[in-house]
Amino acid sequence: VTDETIGTLAAIRPFSFPVVRCAALTPGSDGPLAGIVGDRPALLLVSGSVQRHYGAQIDQLAADPALNVQAVLPVPTGERHKTLTTVEAILHRASERRFPRRGVVVAVGGGILLDTAALAASLYKRGVSVIKVGTTLLAQVDAAIGIKCGVNTRDGKNLAGAFSPPEAVLTDGTLLQTLPIRQVRCGLAEMIKLAVVADATLFELLQRHAGAFLAGPRDNGSARRLIDRAITGMLEQLQPNAYEHDLQRAVDFGHTVSPSLEAATDYRIHHGEAVALDCALFTAAAHLLGVLQRAELDQVVGLLDELGLDRWHPILEDEQFLDRALTAAEAHRGMALNAPLPAGLGTLRFLADRADLPLDLLVEAARLLRGSA
Amino acid sequence: VTDETIGTLAAIRPFSFPVVRCAALTPGSDGPLAGIVGDRPALLLVSGSVQRHYGAQIDQLAADPALNVQAVLPVPTGERHKTLTTVEAILHRASERRFPRRGVVVAVGGGILLDTAALAASLYKRGVSVIKVGTTLLAQVDAAIGIKCGVNTRDGKNLAGAFSPPEAVLTDGTLLQTLPIRQVRCGLAEMIKLAVVADATLFELLQRHAGAFLAGPRDNGSARRLIDRAITGMLEQLQPNAYEHDLQRAVDFGHTVSPSLEAATDYRIHHGEAVALDCALFTAAAHLLGVLQRAELDQVVGLLDELGLDRWHPILEDEQFLDRALTAAEAHRGMALNAPLPAGLGTLRFLADRADLPLDLLVEAARLLRGSA
């Protein structure tokens, strides 16, 4: 048989979605959800925290005549519940209610809820629309913004997922008022990540306002400036590379060893905390490699310290752990390390090759972080 | 708070893949797989039938120095194994082998294997490339061609899935020689489906050659003409509507009550057999509705009879079953029935509205099929 092309299938799938600042859970026909969802059947997927803190608003939306809410489905969160089993439970409960293909999933919660709900939405009948309402800082500036969703498998973080754009993302600063301080820190870590390698202005904003933001209030003018800048910065990073065809990504800063760190500590270290540790480690490594000045390293570490984010953990001095973590990162980035390193505040360079980052240099970087005052 | 757009993310994801007739499992640097995969790590996902009938060729590919095969993973098939549990097992075995993001899944098997493997590939690290090699007639003319993949849930067929284009589809007629006759019939049913509502020439080709094709040989000139015509016809249907934005699809002919029929009989009726029954039912209904002549109905039924495909099943006279099945079809097609009906051989019209198709007319159509000689 000579190879012969019988035919070809080609198409494009464009998407475009807005990130809208609004009072997201406002009921009635003037509310933002009614404006977007219209009369389409809706499923509200909510986390336990959202039920606890915003149960009354959720109930109001469920009964809202301006919406067509089929059901409110509570979804268990925590990294241990971020699994295909939870996704399958969501699919089952949607099927039970005969949720149709033209329905809209409204996901209200933190990053784990959004990642899980969006994957379920992308799989249900091969994909229904999803609107993301992030209720944590991390979700608002990071998890809700992109088109990635996914769940963990026994082998690691987000190993089962999809690129699946939402229909809209709603950002509501008032929802941050009830957020535990530990989770505010986690969100700030993602903002620091972006600032250190890509946005010197955001870094200055963080130095000036992040401390007050942490203490609260979290929806005043400077809080919104901080969050808007983080969101637009994130969108700028994603815009040319939404599907990650380019595996050298600035937003991977803070995400080189952190997935392994979370898994190794059985998720006792939360995602943002792991990101902060990873940022500190690679900032110190950048200094040791001669691409970042000591004063800049001190500014990064100083900001982490001020916000109560750890910059050192004993496992970061464990060569075996680091070796495995880098190997996992390589497998995820096209079999190359492609690790972003700050080269001055707000700019970066990539360490493409594992050979450019000796393990003992990383260990030395960790020791430096432990030792420095 | 006044609603205010902070930013927007927009992108397109184009795809294009060829369907290539070739000796798909030929090893060596001249083989089609080596030509496409190159030095990228590959995982071969194969069904039990493929292992039984083509184990030697698969072993040869696994050891082929022209390829970089990390592992051969046998995947359990049968509708009962087409589940997220099987997908998760594939993800785990890929992770164990550190299968990288730039790796290529080569899926070799029938429709169930391809649907399951392609969903696993689309989820693994949010998507790795997949090449589909269909080893059944149904896979070659239908399951391998489109961009849909998916698995069943406890609530129904293909309720967890994705639109995920392959990198290439390889079609090899010699693989059909070992195919059990029941499975050849199932593939012919999908070809009949397409012919009746969209391709009068394919219908004539089937009348002329399908009987001989069933008996074999299955890779001679007329066999290839049949299959190539079915594939190009399928590609023409999919090209303008790959993501099913238009929910009136000719290729849904034979797929209105058949998913429920398969589930109701616990998958003892195979997919193609259910498609044939559904085609017969809606062809008879078209006649009763006055859009198809009796002689045309007789031609369709005559072809099914000749090929040994049942055109009647007792459950098709069960109003309760039909009611549930149509409701499920509506939920899948934008809350409208959107059922294709042949309006003359090779052309169609859509029954958009459930109200246009009384249940007792469907029951009468089933009785007509039972009664007619």
Side-chain angles (χ1 to χ4, degrees):
Chain A
V1 189
T2 313
D3 294 10
E4 183 194 352
T5 298
I6 300 171
T8 300
L9 189 65
I12 55 171
R13 183 178 222 182
F15 74 83
S16 174
F17 67 87
V19 181
V20 182
R21 180 176 284 289
C22 59
L25 304 182
T26 308
S29 54
D30 294 336
L33 280 174
I36 300 170
V37 178
D39 66 351
R40 291 176 291 169
L43 276 187
L44 300 189
L45 268 52
V46 301
S47 67
S49 304
V50 167
Q51 281 194 302
R52 262 191 313 282
H53 293 291
Y54 303 101
Q57 281 102 307
I58 296 294
D59 288 349
Q60 224 180 333
L61 288 172
D64 189 349
L67 288 168
N68 175 11
V69 175
Q70 283 194 337
V72 177
L73 305 183
V75 176
T77 50
E79 293 285 353
R80 236 173 243 82
H81 292 290
K82 193 182 169 186
T83 60
L84 280 177
T85 304
T86 300
V87 167
E88 193 155 17
I90 296 170
L91 299 181
H92 172 54
R93 293 165 76 186
S95 295
E96 277 183 328
R97 283 158 182 86
R98 300 189 172 186
F99 185 58
R101 210 163 161 177
R102 66 183 277 270
V104 183
V105 168
V106 180
V108 188
I112 292 173
L113 181 285
L114 298 183
D115 279 0
T116 308
L119 181 60
S122 90
L123 289 172
Y124 183 70
K125 294 175 184 278
R126 298 199 184 88
V128 294
S129 192
V130 64
I131 294 171
K132 296 184 188 174
V133 183
T135 58
T136 64
L137 180 62
L138 190 146
Q140 291 189 1
V141 301
D142 191 276
I145 301 303
I147 66 172
K148 300 206 292 192
C149 56
V151 295
N152 307 328
T153 70
R154 59 203 269 203
D155 300 295
K157 285 209 67 177
N158 296 322
L159 281 179
F163 292 98
S164 187
E167 181 174 339
V169 175
L170 308 186
T171 301
D172 182 348
T174 64
L175 299 174
L176 303 178
Q177 213 48 60
T178 52
L179 199 61
I181 200 159
R182 184 175 181 186
Q183 291 202 49
V184 180
R185 286 194 183 104
C186 283
L188 289 168
E190 293 281 7
M191 294 162 78
I192 292 169
K193 159 203 85 177
L194 185 67
V196 169
V197 290
D199 191 340
T201 304
L202 180 59
F203 193 82
E204 282 162 34
L205 282 174
L206 284 164
Q207 286 181 311
R208 215 167 332 135
H209 301 297
F213 177 83
L214 190 63
R218 298 175 189 146
D219 193 39
N220 57 13
S222 56
R224 288 187 200 173
R225 279 238 306 293
L226 257 185
I227 292 172
D228 286 5
R229 178 88 197 187
I231 289 173
T232 51
M234 189 71 183
L235 290 171
E236 276 166 32
Q237 293 296 324
L238 296 174
Q239 182 61 64
N241 193 27
Y243 290 103
E244 302 188 3
H245 294 297
D246 182 355
L247 295 175
Q248 294 200 333
R249 303 167 66 241
V251 291
D252 273 348
F253 184 56
H255 292 70
T256 302
V257 302
S258 62
S260 299
L261 186 56
E262 288 175 74
T265 60
D266 229 1
Y267 300 107
R268 276 186 300 274
I269 295 185
H270 288 187
H271 180 66
E273 294 162 349
V275 167
L277 286 163
D278 186 307
C279 285
L281 183 68
F282 282 85
T283 303
H287 171 58
L288 293 176
L289 286 163
V291 301
L292 190 81
Q293 293 173 17
R294 178 66 200 223
E296 295 169 316
L297 168 60
D298 289 343
Q299 282 195 70
V300 174
V301 171
L303 183 57
L304 294 175
D305 288 352
E306 182 202 343
L307 299 175
L309 282 159
D310 285 348
R311 45 36 190 250
W312 179 82
H313 187 281
I315 202 171
L316 297 180
E317 295 188 14
D318 176 342
E319 281 207 16
Q320 269 196 328
F321 164 78
L322 292 170
D323 185 42
R324 281 197 311 272
L326 294 183
T327 301
E330 284 182 304
H332 189 63
R333 296 178 187 158
M335 296 312 275
L337 187 58
N338 289 328
L341 275 192
L345 282 178
T347 59
L348 85 169
R349 72 172 57 173
F350 286 95
L351 271 185
D353 195 343
R354 173 86 176 257
D356 300 332
L357 190 68
L359 286 180
D360 53 3
L361 184 135
L362 270 186
V363 173
E364 198 189 331
R367 288 198 185 119
L368 180 64
L369 291 164
R370 168 160 54 94
S372 71
Chain B
V1 191
T2 313
D3 294 10
E4 183 193 353
T5 297
I6 300 171
T8 300
L9 189 65
I12 55 170
R13 184 178 222 183
F15 75 82
S16 174
F17 67 87
V19 181
V20 182
R21 179 176 285 289
C22 59
L25 304 182
T26 307
S29 55
D30 293 338
L33 282 174
I36 300 169
V37 178
D39 66 352
R40 291 177 291 169
L43 276 186
L44 300 188
L45 268 53
V46 300
S47 66
S49 304
V50 167
Q51 281 194 303
R52 262 193 312 284
H53 292 294
Y54 303 101
Q57 281 103 308
I58 296 295
D59 288 348
Q60 222 180 335
L61 288 171
D64 189 349
L67 289 167
N68 176 10
V69 175
Q70 283 193 339
V72 177
L73 304 183
V75 176
T77 51
E79 292 285 353
R80 236 174 243 82
H81 292 289
K82 193 182 168 186
T83 60
L84 281 176
T85 305
T86 300
V87 167
E88 193 155 18
I90 296 170
L91 299 181
H92 172 54
R93 294 163 79 186
S95 296
E96 277 184 326
R97 283 160 183 85
R98 302 189 172 185
F99 186 58
R101 211 163 161 177
R102 65 185 277 269
V104 183
V105 167
V106 180
V108 188
I112 292 173
L113 181 286
L114 298 183
D115 279 0
T116 308
L119 180 61
S122 91
L123 290 172
Y124 184 70
K125 295 174 183 278
R126 298 197 184 89
V128 294
S129 191
V130 62
I131 295 171
K132 296 184 187 173
V133 183
T135 58
T136 64
L137 180 62
L138 190 148
Q140 291 189 2
V141 300
D142 191 275
I145 299 303
I147 66 172
K148 301 206 292 192
C149 57
V151 295
N152 307 327
T153 70
R154 58 202 269 204
D155 299 295
K157 286 209 67 176
N158 296 321
L159 282 179
F163 292 97
S164 187
E167 182 175 338
V169 175
L170 307 186
T171 301
D172 182 348
T174 65
L175 300 173
L176 303 179
Q177 212 47 62
T178 53
L179 200 61
I181 200 158
R182 184 175 181 187
Q183 292 201 48
V184 180
R185 286 194 183 103
C186 283
L188 289 168
E190 293 282 6
M191 294 162 80
I192 291 169
K193 158 203 85 176
L194 186 67
V196 169
V197 290
D199 191 340
T201 304
L202 179 59
F203 194 82
E204 283 162 34
L205 281 174
L206 284 164
Q207 287 181 309
R208 216 167 331 137
H209 300 297
F213 178 83
L214 190 63
R218 298 174 190 148
D219 192 40
N220 57 13
S222 56
R224 288 188 200 171
R225 279 237 306 292
L226 258 184
I227 291 172
D228 286 5
R229 178 89 196 185
I231 288 173
T232 52
M234 189 72 181
L235 289 171
E236 275 166 33
Q237 294 296 323
L238 296 175
Q239 181 61 63
N241 192 27
Y243 290 103
E244 301 189 1
H245 295 297
D246 182 355
L247 294 175
Q248 295 199 331
R249 304 165 67 240
V251 291
D252 273 349
F253 184 56
H255 292 72
T256 303
V257 301
S258 61
S260 299
L261 186 56
E262 288 174 74
T265 60
D266 229 1
Y267 299 109
R268 277 187 299 275
I269 294 185
H270 289 187
H271 180 65
E273 293 161 350
V275 167
L277 286 162
D278 186 308
C279 285
L281 183 69
F282 283 85
T283 303
H287 171 60
L288 293 176
L289 287 163
V291 300
L292 190 81
Q293 293 174 16
R294 176 67 198 224
E296 294 169 316
L297 167 60
D298 289 344
Q299 280 193 71
V300 173
V301 171
L303 183 56
L304 294 174
D305 288 352
E306 182 202 341
L307 300 176
L309 283 159
D310 285 348
R311 43 37 188 250
W312 178 81
H313 186 280
I315 202 171
L316 297 179
E317 295 188 14
D318 176 343
E319 280 205 17
Q320 271 196 326
F321 165 77
L322 292 170
D323 186 43
R324 281 197 311 273
L326 294 183
T327 301
E330 283 182 305
H332 189 64
R333 296 178 188 158
M335 297 312 276
L337 188 58
N338 289 329
L341 276 191
L345 283 179
T347 60
L348 85 170
R349 72 171 57 174
F350 286 95
L351 272 185
D353 195 344
R354 173 86 174 257
D356 300 331
L357 190 68
L359 286 180
D360 54 3
L361 184 134
L362 270 187
V363 172
E364 198 190 331
R367 288 197 185 121
L368 180 64
L369 290 165
R370 169 160 54 93
S372 71

